[in-house]
Amino acid sequence: MIHFFWLLPFFWVPLAPDQDSGKIMRPVDGAALPSGEVSIIASAPGGKLLLDGQMIPADQPFPDVLHAKTVPASGQHKLALVWENNKQEITFFVGDNAPPEFKAFREHPPLAVECTQCHGLSRKGRFRFTGNCFSCHQQEVFPKSHHHPPSMLESCGQCHNAHGSTAKAHLVVAREQACGFCHAVLGSVRPQ
């Protein structure tokens, strides 16, 4: 009998970014946004934001966290996060009649909240998720749509982007792909 559980650590692909790397969290690559103000959230040590090659001013509410608001013209844009010889770029579209490769962006949370509602500083001074998704979401309804044990539901960020997504349910990637990160080794076996 072959036991697949020892293989999981070798095939596990974490969806959350490395804590020391840079990451654009809002908007996401391929997002279509309505005209008007665009909220940008990113994180990188000593990071700077460039929109279409031009630096944009950003607040730094916490160490290595950037928050910018800008009103770009209608059309396609390139957003770059640059830090210590590294760079992450995404493209997004603003306005009506987005090309088909851009999908509507669903912001999360849907209402403006302070960063500190979900985040705080660790003892080492790093910005961390300290909230609880269930302080807003009703935990009782999750077993109807999630086939995971309650302990797994505490790791929402492995599959969902808490800052928004172009995928249904704010998934980091499409459902079929997200489930495959963990369940590819097990084939079609569904968790109990």
Side-chain angles (χ1 to χ4, degrees), residues 111-131:
L111 304 172
V113 298
E114 293 296 319
C115 301
T116 54
Q117 183 170 332
C118 301
H119 298 283
L121 292 177
S122 71
R123 281 185 261 152
K124 293 182 179 181
R126 291 186 169 184
F127 196 53
R128 295 282 190 252
F129 176 72
T130 57

Side-chain angles (χ1 to χ4, degrees), residues 4-26:
F4 292 102
F5 297 105
W6 67 271
L7 291 172
L8 284 175
F10 298 105
F11 289 98
W12 169 247
V13 177
L15 297 177
D18 177 0
Q19 297 300 331
D20 295 322
S21 68
K23 175 79 173 151
I24 298 172
M25 293 167 277
R26 181 191 295 164

Side-chain angles (χ1 to χ4, degrees), residues 33-132:
L33 300 142
S35 294
E37 187 175 75
V38 173
S39 175
I40 300 169
I41 301 172
S43 176
K48 299 195 181 328
L49 293 168
L50 303 171
L51 183 61
D52 301 324
Q54 301 295 313
M55 190 175 308
I56 56 172
D59 295 329
Q60 192 170 354
F62 294 94
D64 302 330
V65 175
L66 302 169
H67 184 224
K69 293 182 179 181
T70 187
V71 182
S74 293
Q76 185 172 324
H77 298 277
K78 184 175 284 189
L79 176 65
L81 171 63
V82 181
W83 75 102
E84 301 174 3
N85 299 320
N86 289 298
K87 182 186 219 181
Q88 182 194 11
E89 289 184 335
I90 67 162
T91 57
F92 64 93
F93 187 90
V94 173
D96 297 329
N97 304 317
E101 65 267 22
F102 292 94
K103 306 293 180 220
F105 182 71
R106 295 171 180 92
E107 193 169 310
H108 185 264
L111 304 172
V113 298
E114 293 296 319
C115 301
T116 54
Q117 183 170 332
C118 301
H119 298 283
L121 292 177
S122 71
R123 281 185 261 152
K124 293 182 179 181
R126 291 186 169 184
F127 196 53
R128 295 282 190 252
F129 176 72
T130 57
N132 180 342

